[in-house]
mmCIF file of all heavy atoms in Angstrom:
data_model
loop_
_atom_site.group_PDB
_atom_site.id
_atom_site.type_symbol
_atom_site.label_atom_id
_atom_site.label_comp_id
_atom_site.label_asym_id
_atom_site.label_seq_id
_atom_site.Cartn_x
_atom_site.Cartn_y
_atom_site.Cartn_z
ATOM 1 N N HIS A 1 1.259 -3.576 18.334
ATOM 2 C CA HIS A 1 2.240 -4.561 18.447
ATOM 3 C C HIS A 1 3.517 -4.490 17.456
ATOM 4 O O HIS A 1 4.579 -4.785 17.754
ATOM 5 C CB HIS A 1 1.784 -5.957 18.222
ATOM 6 C CG HIS A 1 0.796 -6.440 19.205
ATOM 7 N ND1 HIS A 1 1.151 -6.981 20.391
ATOM 8 C CD2 HIS A 1 -0.603 -6.339 19.296
ATOM 9 C CE1 HIS A 1 0.100 -7.203 21.159
ATOM 10 N NE2 HIS A 1 -0.949 -6.907 20.416
ATOM 11 N N LEU A 2 3.279 -3.650 16.318
ATOM 12 C CA LEU A 2 4.200 -3.571 15.245
ATOM 13 C C LEU A 2 4.606 -2.212 14.861
ATOM 14 O O LEU A 2 5.573 -1.913 14.221
ATOM 15 C CB LEU A 2 3.738 -4.314 13.978
ATOM 16 C CG LEU A 2 3.339 -5.744 14.073
ATOM 17 C CD1 LEU A 2 2.677 -6.238 12.816
ATOM 18 C CD2 LEU A 2 4.472 -6.601 14.509
ATOM 19 N N GLY A 3 3.867 -1.179 15.521
ATOM 20 C CA GLY A 3 4.135 0.171 15.251
ATOM 21 C C GLY A 3 3.797 0.670 13.850
ATOM 22 O O GLY A 3 4.244 1.612 13.444
ATOM 23 N N TRP A 4 2.774 -0.093 13.215
ATOM 24 C CA TRP A 4 2.418 0.337 11.884
ATOM 25 C C TRP A 4 1.346 1.322 11.824
ATOM 26 O O TRP A 4 0.528 1.483 12.804
ATOM 27 C CB TRP A 4 1.852 -0.865 11.275
ATOM 28 C CG TRP A 4 2.899 -2.017 10.897
ATOM 29 C CD1 TRP A 4 4.167 -1.971 11.009
ATOM 30 C CD2 TRP A 4 2.567 -3.256 10.129
ATOM 31 N NE1 TRP A 4 4.751 -3.136 10.567
ATOM 32 C CE2 TRP A 4 3.776 -3.903 10.121
ATOM 33 C CE3 TRP A 4 1.392 -3.860 9.808
ATOM 34 C CZ2 TRP A 4 3.867 -5.143 9.502
ATOM 35 C CZ3 TRP A 4 1.509 -5.076 9.236
ATOM 36 C CH2 TRP A 4 2.624 -5.748 9.073
ATOM 37 N N LYS A 5 1.314 2.087 10.815
ATOM 38 C CA LYS A 5 0.191 3.123 10.648
ATOM 39 C C LYS A 5 -0.828 2.330 9.997
ATOM 40 O O LYS A 5 -0.724 1.255 9.390
ATOM 41 C CB LYS A 5 0.714 4.182 9.678
ATOM 42 C CG LYS A 5 1.743 5.124 10.338
ATOM 43 C CD LYS A 5 2.249 6.209 9.369
ATOM 44 C CE LYS A 5 3.256 7.014 10.109
ATOM 45 N NZ LYS A 5 3.644 8.052 9.324
ATOM 46 N N ARG A 6 -2.148 2.967 9.907
ATOM 47 C CA ARG A 6 -3.260 2.344 9.457
ATOM 48 C C ARG A 6 -2.972 1.946 7.938
ATOM 49 O O ARG A 6 -3.374 0.852 7.436
ATOM 50 C CB ARG A 6 -4.512 3.257 9.620
ATOM 51 C CG ARG A 6 -5.756 2.777 9.050
ATOM 52 C CD ARG A 6 -6.831 3.887 9.188
ATOM 53 N NE ARG A 6 -6.529 5.051 8.487
ATOM 54 C CZ ARG A 6 -6.584 5.342 7.195
ATOM 55 N NH1 ARG A 6 -6.965 4.533 6.490
ATOM 56 N NH2 ARG A 6 -6.223 6.672 6.841
ATOM 57 N N THR A 7 -2.462 2.950 7.170
ATOM 58 C CA THR A 7 -2.259 2.572 5.792
ATOM 59 C C THR A 7 -1.451 1.439 5.440
ATOM 60 O O THR A 7 -1.570 0.678 4.481
ATOM 61 C CB THR A 7 -1.725 3.828 5.098
ATOM 62 O OG1 THR A 7 -0.509 4.336 5.634
ATOM 63 C CG2 THR A 7 -2.676 5.023 5.046
ATOM 64 N N THR A 8 -0.290 1.305 6.312
ATOM 65 C CA THR A 8 0.551 0.094 6.212
ATOM 66 C C THR A 8 -0.180 -1.222 6.338
ATOM 67 O O THR A 8 -0.066 -2.101 5.694
ATOM 68 C CB THR A 8 1.656 0.177 7.125
ATOM 69 O OG1 THR A 8 2.431 1.427 6.888
ATOM 70 C CG2 THR A 8 2.720 -0.982 7.096
ATOM 71 N N THR A 9 -1.013 -1.114 7.478
ATOM 72 C CA THR A 9 -1.841 -2.274 7.820
ATOM 73 C C THR A 9 -2.680 -2.720 6.572
ATOM 74 O O THR A 9 -2.798 -3.921 6.250
ATOM 75 C CB THR A 9 -2.693 -2.216 8.987
ATOM 76 O OG1 THR A 9 -1.735 -1.851 10.167
ATOM 77 C CG2 THR A 9 -3.391 -3.455 9.374
ATOM 78 N N TYR A 10 -3.520 -1.717 5.995
ATOM 79 C CA TYR A 10 -4.425 -1.943 4.812
ATOM 80 C C TYR A 10 -3.667 -2.529 3.740
ATOM 81 O O TYR A 10 -4.025 -3.476 2.962
ATOM 82 C CB TYR A 10 -5.114 -0.873 4.547
ATOM 83 C CG TYR A 10 -6.380 -0.700 5.544
ATOM 84 C CD1 TYR A 10 -6.457 0.449 6.345
ATOM 85 C CD2 TYR A 10 -7.279 -1.628 5.728
ATOM 86 C CE1 TYR A 10 -7.431 0.711 7.191
ATOM 87 C CE2 TYR A 10 -8.391 -1.474 6.423
ATOM 88 C CZ TYR A 10 -8.469 -0.340 7.229
ATOM 89 O OH TYR A 10 -9.499 -0.175 8.218
ATOM 90 N N THR A 11 -2.318 -2.042 3.463
ATOM 91 C CA THR A 11 -1.536 -2.499 2.287
ATOM 92 C C THR A 11 -1.178 -3.906 2.537
ATOM 93 O O THR A 11 -1.245 -4.815 1.629
ATOM 94 C CB THR A 11 -0.218 -1.677 2.253
ATOM 95 O OG1 THR A 11 -0.632 -0.218 1.975
ATOM 96 C CG2 THR A 11 0.677 -2.177 1.038
ATOM 97 N N VAL A 12 -0.687 -4.293 3.826
ATOM 98 C CA VAL A 12 -0.311 -5.699 4.056
ATOM 99 C C VAL A 12 -1.494 -6.669 3.978
ATOM 100 O O VAL A 12 -1.406 -7.656 3.426
ATOM 101 C CB VAL A 12 0.316 -5.774 5.459
ATOM 102 C CG1 VAL A 12 0.653 -7.236 5.886
ATOM 103 C CG2 VAL A 12 1.674 -4.973 5.510
ATOM 104 N N ILE A 13 -2.669 -6.190 4.495
ATOM 105 C CA ILE A 13 -3.941 -7.040 4.289
ATOM 106 C C ILE A 13 -4.090 -7.267 2.842
ATOM 107 O O ILE A 13 -4.475 -8.446 2.478
ATOM 108 C CB ILE A 13 -5.179 -6.318 4.977
ATOM 109 C CG1 ILE A 13 -5.047 -6.266 6.537
ATOM 110 C CG2 ILE A 13 -6.554 -7.141 4.660
ATOM 111 C CD1 ILE A 13 -6.101 -5.481 7.151
ATOM 112 N N LYS A 14 -4.040 -6.328 2.024
ATOM 113 C CA LYS A 14 -4.286 -6.503 0.655
ATOM 114 C C LYS A 14 -3.319 -7.396 -0.044
ATOM 115 O O LYS A 14 -3.752 -8.317 -0.695
ATOM 116 C CB LYS A 14 -4.322 -4.965 -0.032
ATOM 117 C CG LYS A 14 -4.159 -5.176 -1.589
ATOM 118 C CD LYS A 14 -5.526 -5.260 -2.193
ATOM 119 C CE LYS A 14 -5.556 -5.036 -3.577
ATOM 120 N NZ LYS A 14 -5.723 -6.327 -4.473
ATOM 121 N N ARG A 15 -2.039 -7.245 0.371
ATOM 122 C CA ARG A 15 -1.004 -8.203 -0.186
ATOM 123 C C ARG A 15 -1.226 -9.583 0.235
ATOM 124 O O ARG A 15 -1.005 -10.525 -0.633
ATOM 125 C CB ARG A 15 0.437 -7.611 0.199
ATOM 126 C CG ARG A 15 0.806 -6.374 -0.634
ATOM 127 C CD ARG A 15 2.127 -5.843 -0.400
ATOM 128 N NE ARG A 15 2.416 -4.671 -1.024
ATOM 129 C CZ ARG A 15 3.424 -3.846 -0.857
ATOM 130 N NH1 ARG A 15 4.283 -4.175 0.088
ATOM 131 N NH2 ARG A 15 3.662 -2.803 -1.611
ATOM 132 N N LEU A 16 -1.541 -9.751 1.333
ATOM 133 C CA LEU A 16 -1.656 -11.166 2.044
ATOM 134 C C LEU A 16 -2.958 -11.724 1.550
ATOM 135 O O LEU A 16 -2.968 -12.994 1.198
ATOM 136 C CB LEU A 16 -1.674 -11.138 3.453
ATOM 137 C CG LEU A 16 -0.241 -10.832 4.237
ATOM 138 C CD1 LEU A 16 -0.551 -10.780 5.728
ATOM 139 C CD2 LEU A 16 0.713 -11.831 3.811
ATOM 140 N N SER A 17 -3.921 -10.835 1.136
ATOM 141 C CA SER A 17 -5.097 -11.448 0.513
ATOM 142 C C SER A 17 -4.813 -11.788 -0.808
ATOM 143 O O SER A 17 -5.305 -12.913 -1.355
ATOM 144 C CB SER A 17 -6.245 -10.403 0.536
ATOM 145 O OG SER A 17 -6.572 -10.121 1.859
ATOM 146 N N ASP A 18 -4.155 -10.996 -1.605
ATOM 147 C CA ASP A 18 -3.713 -11.405 -2.955
ATOM 148 C C ASP A 18 -2.875 -12.654 -3.069
ATOM 149 O O ASP A 18 -3.008 -13.398 -4.080
ATOM 150 C CB ASP A 18 -2.903 -10.291 -3.597
ATOM 151 C CG ASP A 18 -3.736 -8.983 -3.893
ATOM 152 O OD1 ASP A 18 -5.039 -9.067 -3.898
ATOM 153 O OD2 ASP A 18 -3.170 -7.982 -4.208
ATOM 154 N N LYS A 19 -2.045 -12.896 -2.076
ATOM 155 C CA LYS A 19 -1.236 -14.187 -2.095
ATOM 156 C C LYS A 19 -2.006 -15.291 -1.560
ATOM 157 O O LYS A 19 -1.435 -16.537 -1.573
ATOM 158 C CB LYS A 19 -0.020 -13.915 -1.131
ATOM 159 C CG LYS A 19 0.941 -12.968 -1.786
ATOM 160 C CD LYS A 19 2.093 -12.815 -0.880
ATOM 161 C CE LYS A 19 3.097 -11.745 -1.579
ATOM 162 N NZ LYS A 19 4.349 -11.698 -0.782
ATOM 163 N N GLY A 20 -3.272 -15.232 -0.995
ATOM 164 C CA GLY A 20 -4.109 -16.358 -0.650
ATOM 165 C C GLY A 20 -3.896 -16.690 0.830
ATOM 166 O O GLY A 20 -4.330 -17.743 1.237
ATOM 167 N N TYR A 21 -3.374 -15.720 1.524
ATOM 168 C CA TYR A 21 -3.263 -16.048 3.003
ATOM 169 C C TYR A 21 -4.392 -15.613 3.761
ATOM 170 O O TYR A 21 -4.752 -16.165 4.907
ATOM 171 C CB TYR A 21 -1.931 -15.155 3.589
ATOM 172 C CG TYR A 21 -0.617 -15.931 3.349
ATOM 173 C CD1 TYR A 21 0.247 -15.326 2.269
ATOM 174 C CD2 TYR A 21 -0.173 -16.906 4.039
ATOM 175 C CE1 TYR A 21 1.380 -15.835 2.004
ATOM 176 C CE2 TYR A 21 1.108 -17.377 3.790
ATOM 177 C CZ TYR A 21 1.888 -16.979 2.771
ATOM 178 O OH TYR A 21 3.092 -17.439 2.401
ATOM 179 N N LEU A 22 -5.035 -14.440 3.382
ATOM 180 C CA LEU A 22 -6.095 -13.835 4.167
ATOM 181 C C LEU A 22 -7.333 -13.783 3.267
ATOM 182 O O LEU A 22 -7.185 -13.687 2.085
ATOM 183 C CB LEU A 22 -5.695 -12.537 4.670
ATOM 184 C CG LEU A 22 -4.593 -12.296 5.645
ATOM 185 C CD1 LEU A 22 -4.438 -10.805 5.911
ATOM 186 C CD2 LEU A 22 -4.827 -13.052 6.891
ATOM 187 N N LYS A 23 -8.545 -13.647 3.911
ATOM 188 C CA LYS A 23 -9.787 -13.281 3.249
ATOM 189 C C LYS A 23 -10.231 -12.014 4.004
ATOM 190 O O LYS A 23 -10.295 -12.015 5.293
ATOM 191 C CB LYS A 23 -10.820 -14.387 3.395
ATOM 192 C CG LYS A 23 -12.148 -13.956 2.829
ATOM 193 C CD LYS A 23 -13.091 -15.132 2.768
ATOM 194 C CE LYS A 23 -13.600 -15.527 4.148
ATOM 195 N NZ LYS A 23 -14.651 -16.452 4.335
ATOM 196 N N ASN A 24 -10.487 -10.932 3.328
ATOM 197 C CA ASN A 24 -11.008 -9.706 3.915
ATOM 198 C C ASN A 24 -12.368 -9.440 3.188
ATOM 199 O O ASN A 24 -12.464 -8.932 2.126
ATOM 200 C CB ASN A 24 -10.099 -8.544 3.588
ATOM 201 C CG ASN A 24 -10.505 -7.299 4.235
ATOM 202 O OD1 ASN A 24 -11.342 -7.271 5.013
ATOM 203 N ND2 ASN A 24 -9.841 -6.129 3.826
ATOM 204 N N GLU A 25 -13.436 -9.837 3.951
ATOM 205 C CA GLU A 25 -14.790 -9.811 3.378
ATOM 206 C C GLU A 25 -15.594 -9.060 4.422
ATOM 207 O O GLU A 25 -15.649 -9.369 5.535
ATOM 208 C CB GLU A 25 -15.281 -11.181 3.160
ATOM 209 C CG GLU A 25 -16.485 -11.266 2.341
ATOM 210 C CD GLU A 25 -16.755 -12.790 2.058
ATOM 211 O OE1 GLU A 25 -17.269 -13.481 2.888
ATOM 212 O OE2 GLU A 25 -16.402 -13.263 0.994
#
């Protein structure tokens, strides 16, 4: 959907988790 590489997705997951938007457990 966004044309992102795997590493980009994991970076965004980490950042959104740090900001309190997501939980990655």
Side-chain angles (χ1 to χ4, degrees):
H1 294 280
L2 305 173
W4 289 359
K5 294 183 180 181
R6 181 184 53 81
T7 54
T8 301
T9 303
Y10 283 117
T11 299
V12 172
I13 291 170
K14 170 81 170 107
R15 288 182 181 170
L16 290 176
S17 294
D18 290 347
K19 290 180 180 186
Y21 284 100
L22 298 179
K23 176 174 73 169
N24 185 12
E25 196 169 81

